[in-house]
Every structure is written in C-alpha cells, then in structure tokens.
Amino acid sequence: MCYRYVLQREALGALATQLGVSRTPDWRSRYNLAPGEAVPAVRQRAGAGGRSYEVVNLHWGLLPAWAQEAATVPANARAEGLSGSPMFREAFRRRRCVIPASGFYEWRAQGGRRQPYLFFLGDGATLCFAGLWEPGREPEGGRAAGSCAIITTAPNELVRPIHDRMPAILESDAFDAWLDPDAERPVLDGLLLPAAGGTLARVAVDRGVGNVAND
C-alpha cells in the first residue's frame, strides 16, 4: 500500500451507525490522507464488555510505548509478520482497530512515470481496513488518542497488476471477532484477507494526488 487513502464524511457516519456508535470526532471529507495525520478508527471501548465500540482519532504511524520517539514510524504492518514482530506483536494480541475508508491509492510505473489509481468498493460502501493501535503519550484531550497502523496483505487480482500489497479488508460480519480482545490468533489470521474478487473497482486518477498538499 502506498500510504494514501480517502475518507468521506458520509462513509465514517455510515460505519458508526452500523456499529451503534452515537458520537464520532468532527470530520470533513478528505481525499489524500497520508501518514502522520490524525485519522478516525473504531476500537473496543475501554472497560466495556461485549460489543461496545468507540470512534477516536489516532495518529497514523504506530509508536509503541517502549519505542523512542522517531521521525519515521510504521504506517503499515505486514499481516504475515505480526505475531513475530516486537513492533506489532502486543498490539496484534490486544489492541486491534478498524480504520474506515472510502478508497485507497496505489501507483504503477508507466512510461517512466508513476500513474496513481484509486481503488474503491463498486457499490459505494465503506471500506474497513484491519488496523492496530497503541495508547497515546500525550494527556487525554490531545489531538489524537494514540497511534495506529494499517495491516497489509497480498493483493487480489484487481490490485496485483498495480502493486504487490494491499490493505487487509474486513467484511462487516468480521468486526466483532477482530475487535474482540480475547480472540484467538487462528481466528484473527483468517480475517486478514484482501477484498473478495469482484467487489473492488479501480480508476486512474490525476498524478497531482502524489502531492499530499492536493486534497
């Protein structure tokens, strides 16, 4: 995944309604989100049992509590190495989240230039990326309630000609299992899949999306 995605306000609202979340952070539609920004994510509500979720802003770029502050933190986490990586192991075990999107970008080398493509669900529904999160280091009430990374997996047949990775996309009936802090690893591993064939669409977009200033 090339570190850019889209999240429209309506997509965030639709997911919150689906999950029974009454309050979400203020959000305006964004069309070129990049690592280092605060992005909305769904996670299990602290101290709540069962199916009780909240939507919070998380800094896109995972920073575990034990790690030193760094200029570069991982925005993505490869599904194949989560349980063996010190950076991601504890978050994979206990702190998983869902990161909503309206679409994501990938780039393909084409005639000496890089052509961006936007991938989205053909029916216009909200994409739900599997993610990990870590608690924030700032006092409560800061800009973000922690940090996060998007999990990537092997591409499906639509993405493969463009890029060799894509976000792991959760089906709506997988949310409860993914967000369950007591879920077993075999269950979790089985959820980290590319989008099913025929569900995604793609379109070439203007190269201006390569500049994060162009939203």
Side-chain angles (χ1 to χ4, degrees):
M1 184 181 174
C2 288
Y3 305 106
R4 304 286 178 78
Y5 73 96
V6 176
L7 177 58
Q8 296 172 301
R9 181 177 180 178
E10 296 80 4
L12 176 60
L15 181 61
T17 298
Q18 178 184 343
L19 296 177
V21 178
S22 59
R23 297 179 60 186
T24 64
D26 289 337
W27 185 257
R28 65 177 177 85
S29 295
R30 295 289 310 281
Y31 297 90
N32 201 5
L33 284 162
E37 299 193 61
V39 298
V42 181
R43 65 185 184 185
Q44 182 82 20
R45 188 183 298 276
R51 189 179 184 276
S52 182
Y53 306 136
E54 62 181 358
V55 180
V56 297
N57 282 338
L58 298 174
H59 178 91
W60 186 13
L62 195 77
L63 184 64
W66 53 263
Q68 294 183 350
E69 294 283 353
T72 303
V73 290
N76 294 337
R78 293 177 69 92
E80 299 87 344
L82 294 176
S83 59
S85 167
M87 179 66 71
F88 305 123
R89 183 169 51 221
E90 190 63 19
F92 181 44
R93 184 182 303 159
R94 301 178 183 275
R95 291 183 292 275
R96 296 175 298 277
C97 62
V98 174
I99 300 174
S102 302
F104 62 94
Y105 299 106
E106 301 290 0
W107 277 255
R108 176 168 65 181
Q110 190 170 303
R113 307 175 72 180
R114 296 177 72 236
Q115 173 62 52
Y117 289 82
L118 174 66
F119 293 84
F120 55 95
L121 285 174
D123 61 3
T126 305
L127 284 165
C128 294
F129 302 152
L132 308 173
W133 70 275
E134 288 282 354
R137 298 183 177 184
E138 298 179 358
E140 188 174 350
R143 182 166 178 247
S147 60
C148 66
I150 293 170
I151 298 173
T152 67
T153 188
N156 66 9
E157 70 281 359
L158 185 70
V159 178
R160 190 175 299 112
I162 311 300
H163 201 274
D164 63 355
R165 303 293 293 177
M166 70 176 294
I169 296 172
L170 297 169
E171 300 288 344
S172 59
D173 60 1
F175 294 163
D176 290 347
W178 180 251
L179 295 173
D180 180 358
D182 298 319
E184 298 292 334
R185 179 183 164 187
V187 173
L188 300 174
D189 287 342
L191 300 177
L192 297 177
L193 303 172
T199 58
L200 285 179
R202 81 179 183 217
V203 61
V205 296
D206 191 280
R207 290 185 177 90
V209 76
N211 185 340
V212 296
N214 296 326
D215 195 40

